[in-house]
Amino acid sequence: MSRHEFDVVVLGGGSGGYAAAIRASELGKKVALIEKDKVGGTCLHRGCVPTKALLHTAEIADHVREAAAVGVDASLTGFDPARMTAYREGIVAKKYRGLQSLLSTRGITVVAGEGRLSADRSVIVGEDEYAGADVILATGSQTRSLPGVEVGGRVLTSETALTLDTVPGSVVVLGGGVIGVEFASAWRSLGVDVLIVEALDRLLPAEDAASSKALERAYRKRGIRTALSTRCEGVSPREDGVAVTLSDGAVVEADYVLVAVGRGPVTDGLGLDEAGVTRDRGFVVVGDDLQTSVPHVWAVGDIVPGLQLAHRSFQQGIFVAERIAGLAPVAVPESTIPRVSYSHPEVASVGLTEEQARAAHGDRVAAYEFNLAGNAKSEILGTAGFAKVVRIVDGPVVGVHLVGDRVGELITEGQLAIGWEAHPEDIAPFVHAHPTQSEALGEAFLALAGKPLHTV
């Protein structure tokens, strides 16, 4: 067995892993990055990037349907799945080449193969051993399924849904979280009959209740059906589709089923337990500094309990690289990490929901919603929704919640407000360009500061 010495060995080349590798290299470390598939991981190849490209195709379809309303003569005559796929794959391929070039330019040794952690802070890949003064675990997540539901064929995951060579006639989506509502949105724009089955009592149950209700209203108008407070009891294949049995006794037939009930950590079979790394329900247990129970072995991204978001993984990878290099980076708390569902309309948030704020602070909470009906740019775009801000009375902003097309581009302002513990009175003097959707957020800040402009 050949032994190779490095300052830092990163196991997993997804968002958290490659961010850690790049930052460590910038800080003068000799780095090996081990990836069994392709660098960029799920986000680049099977998740964030291709699904948002699919959603953009869906958005264009909606624009063509609505073109006559703004004086443009156009007609939607159909879809070409092969060209849709080529468009998505072209974007992914370009970003993949760019990432490969970046890693090469940084002098990072990329090792293709499946790694296993050994007890002496090294990773075994085939007949080679990659030893590091520090090891970073960044193996990501994989699709969860439901008991008794076997994935394959017409039972899709988010990854296999992207490989379809046809636009389905009908789909049952199991799960009303981010993945479920995004695929439901895209498919509906492509003319698919969609039913979302969610065990809890609302879509996007982790979001503010007002955001969930706004999305549900929008989906009803779009013809997306929902079965809330309803469980899937089983999925049975049929000759040309599937039958889904629900907890209310209904049996729903469709061309396909999408399993979108969340993602679990990829930590089994990696030698973690044998190396002394503590796990809990598959997740790696870490301290505030993201170090595991084994000194100089760290974990980042989806294998760490918390939000499973690529941008969280990026930040954690950078944080750990800087800790290893002896710097004192500031940890970013989960409460300041923005969340976006790229549905139509989009749902974006950062910080506490109103319910969470009231549970923590009681009556010392004030909230205000500014309806996008009063925002000129939103009217031009033809989108409904709101900007909601939650604050502590006479205190800082603790939550920002947005619903509407393109509002994901606005959430960074909310992140800054919460991260800097700003009071609405601090933000009220700032000028928002007119006409922009950002004015809606500005109006909410103005109202909570006691000087509303376009409200009564």
Side-chain angles (χ1 to χ4, degrees), residues 260-279:
V261 293
R263 298 180 64 84
V266 176
T267 58
D268 289 340
L270 300 178
L272 304 189
D273 300 335
E274 296 85 344
V277 174
T278 301
R279 295 190 297 159

Side-chain angles (χ1 to χ4, degrees), residues 2-318:
S2 300
R3 181 179 172 88
H4 311 273
E5 300 280 351
F6 291 87
D7 298 319
V8 179
V9 175
V10 183
L11 180 56
S15 302
Y18 82 70
I22 291 172
R23 185 63 180 132
S25 177
E26 288 176 344
L27 294 170
K29 300 296 183 181
K30 182 183 179 183
V31 181
L33 177 63
I34 299 167
E35 171 55 50
K36 67 179 182 180
D37 188 8
K38 295 179 179 179
V39 292
T42 296
C43 179
L44 175 56
H45 298 285
R46 300 173 298 278
C48 317
V49 176
T51 56
K52 277 49 182 184
L54 173 64
L55 283 158
H56 182 61
T57 296
E59 181 183 30
I60 297 297
D62 288 331
H63 286 335
V64 173
R65 287 191 186 94
E66 299 159 3
V70 296
V72 177
D73 292 328
S75 60
L76 183 63
T77 59
F79 301 96
D80 185 335
R83 282 190 288 158
M84 290 164 56
T85 299
Y87 160 66
R88 295 196 303 272
E89 291 181 347
I91 292 173
V92 170
K94 183 177 181 180
K95 296 303 161 190
Y96 179 45
R97 289 193 299 270
L99 178 56
Q100 288 177 303
S101 176
L102 181 60
L103 293 169
S104 176
T105 301
R106 295 293 186 191
I108 295 166
T109 299
V110 177
V111 180
E114 189 165 350
R116 179 181 175 87
L117 183 66
S118 135
D120 58 350
R121 289 202 311 275
S122 63
V123 177
I124 308 301
V125 182
E127 296 299 318
D128 291 288
E129 179 182 11
Y130 297 87
D134 289 89
V135 172
I136 302 173
L137 306 174
T139 47
S141 61
Q142 61 191 356
T143 299
R144 292 186 188 273
S145 189
L146 292 168
V149 177
E150 184 176 349
V151 171
R154 291 181 177 270
V155 181
L156 308 172
T157 66
S158 58
E159 291 94 338
T160 57
L162 291 169
T163 68
L164 289 179
D165 58 3
T166 184
V167 176
S170 58
V171 179
V172 174
V173 177
L174 303 181
V178 175
I179 295 172
V181 302
E182 287 187 352
F183 270 96
S185 182
W187 274 326
R188 185 57 188 154
S189 295
L190 300 179
V192 180
D193 179 32
V194 181
L195 168 67
I196 303 175
V197 178
E198 169 55 50
L200 298 179
D201 62 355
R202 56 191 174 97
L203 298 181
L204 297 179
E207 295 293 342
D208 191 273
S211 297
S212 295
K213 296 306 178 188
L215 184 65
E216 289 164 16
R217 286 194 298 271
Y219 274 19
R220 282 195 296 271
K221 289 181 180 179
R222 295 183 60 197
I224 297 174
R225 297 177 293 131
T226 59
L228 305 177
S229 301
T230 304
R231 299 182 309 280
C232 169
E233 299 290 352
V235 176
S236 303
R238 297 287 172 92
E239 184 176 347
D240 56 354
V242 290
V244 182
T245 302
L246 305 181
S247 57
D248 61 4
V251 177
V252 181
E253 296 192 0
D255 293 338
Y256 291 92
V257 169
L258 172 68
V259 180
V261 293
R263 298 180 64 84
V266 176
T267 58
D268 289 340
L270 300 178
L272 304 189
D273 300 335
E274 296 85 344
V277 174
T278 301
R279 295 190 297 159
D280 180 16
R281 293 170 298 166
F283 291 96
V284 176
V285 176
V286 296
D288 292 339
D289 61 354
L290 298 178
Q291 191 165 199
T292 71
S293 53
V294 177
H296 297 283
V297 176
W298 315 74
V300 301
D302 288 359
I303 62 173
V304 176
L307 296 170
Q308 292 182 319
L309 298 168
H311 43 283
R312 172 185 183 254
S313 300
F314 289 143
Q315 185 276 330
Q316 289 186 339
I318 293 168

Side-chain angles (χ1 to χ4, degrees), residues 355-368:
E355 182 181 17
Q356 290 168 337
R358 293 194 184 281
H361 303 284
D363 293 336
R364 295 184 55 245
V365 171
Y368 182 81

